[in-house]
Amino acid sequence: MTDMPPTEIRTYRTADEEEWLRCRVLSFLHTAYHDDVVQTKPVRPAASVELVAVRGATLVGILDAELDGDTAVIETVAVHPDHQGRGVGGRLLSTLLDRLREQGVRRLDAWTRDDPATLAWYRSGGFTDHDHYLHVYADHDEVARLALAPLDARTHHASRPASVPKVTAVVRALAHADPADEEGLRAEFRRVHLCRRFTRPVDTPG
């Protein structure tokens, strides 16, 4: 049996982009973010930390965080399904915390939905959840239930240049809602997610 190469955590490189995208897509595939697909890696501001985990020549994990003063926010964290449960995510988080301490960041936030394994990972990493709201997805047969205001009224059609084309119908929508209405919304819509903000102090060991 061949020994598995050790995991190396390093800064993201432009040449990593294709593997970064594949890792993200496959990691999200069976989660509440399964349709959050990007075809190019988002360009992060200068005040960011972008990490990858590699084993030999294989990229197995990714983590991007953006900094704003003394707070950082995790924008993406993912581990390839073939390498989950082996401590890759923990290594990425630990390295991120070290980088944030060096830059004087005091708090790390993350927003996520209601996947049990993801929630458990954040809690095991020292995060606690605070703010909550709902993501409500309405498909073509559900959109009317959102009682959306007329598009022309919402976009001030009268003041729009004539060259701007009209949208004639909404066939799919993402709405935000109060968690107090969760039971009723789940009775009306097939896809409702509780979105929550996790946070932890940076100066506490990961």
Side-chain angles (χ1 to χ4, degrees):
M1 181 175 177
T2 304
D3 291 337
M4 182 173 293
T7 301
E8 174 195 358
I9 309 297
R10 61 166 172 79
T11 300
Y12 169 84
R13 302 167 185 163
T14 304
D16 296 323
E17 182 174 26
E18 184 63 23
E19 284 194 83
W20 189 98
L21 293 168
R22 291 177 183 273
C23 180
R24 186 179 186 276
V25 167
L26 291 173
S27 174
F28 284 13
L29 184 59
H30 297 295
T31 74
Y33 286 99
H34 62 87
D35 51 357
D36 184 11
V37 176
V38 296
Q39 294 182 300
T40 58
K41 185 182 185 302
V43 177
R44 303 296 181 196
S48 298
V49 177
E50 299 172 79
L51 302 172
V52 297
V54 294
R55 282 183 170 152
T58 304
L59 188 151
V60 299
I62 60 177
L63 193 159
D64 286 8
E66 295 186 4
L67 283 58
D68 183 9
D70 65 355
T71 299
V73 179
I74 293 177
E75 298 293 338
T76 292
V77 58
V79 176
H80 190 288
D82 293 345
H83 298 270
Q84 291 176 5
R86 300 175 180 173
V88 175
R91 289 279 308 280
L92 285 164
L93 176 60
S94 179
T95 303
L96 171 65
L97 292 170
D98 287 343
R99 301 277 183 95
L100 296 180
R101 291 184 193 104
E102 292 170 0
Q103 299 187 53
V105 175
R106 299 178 61 187
R107 190 182 81 193
L108 177 60
D109 287 354
W111 286 92
T112 192
R113 291 179 182 163
D114 39 13
D115 292 295
T118 302
L119 301 181
W121 183 81
Y122 276 112
R123 288 168 179 149
S124 69
F127 290 83
T128 55
D129 53 323
H130 293 266
D131 307 310
H132 306 82
Y133 69 98
L134 297 176
H135 281 171
V136 181
Y137 282 86
D139 214 338
H140 59 91
D141 62 328
E142 300 174 314
V143 168
R145 300 177 193 170
L146 290 175
L148 296 172
L151 280 175
D152 282 354
R154 292 169 60 238
T155 56
H156 306 289
H157 172 64
S159 63
R160 291 190 305 174
S163 60
V164 177
K166 291 182 181 179
V167 174
T168 58
V170 177
V171 296
R172 185 170 295 161
L174 166 62
H176 292 178
D178 192 317
D181 298 322
E182 182 174 2
E183 183 178 356
L185 289 167
R186 289 192 183 277
E188 290 290 327
F189 297 94
R190 290 185 291 272
R191 188 175 174 195
V192 178
H193 299 291
L194 181 64
C195 189
R196 57 186 88 204
R197 178 175 67 91
F198 276 93
T199 187
R200 59 154 291 158
V202 169
D203 58 5
T204 300

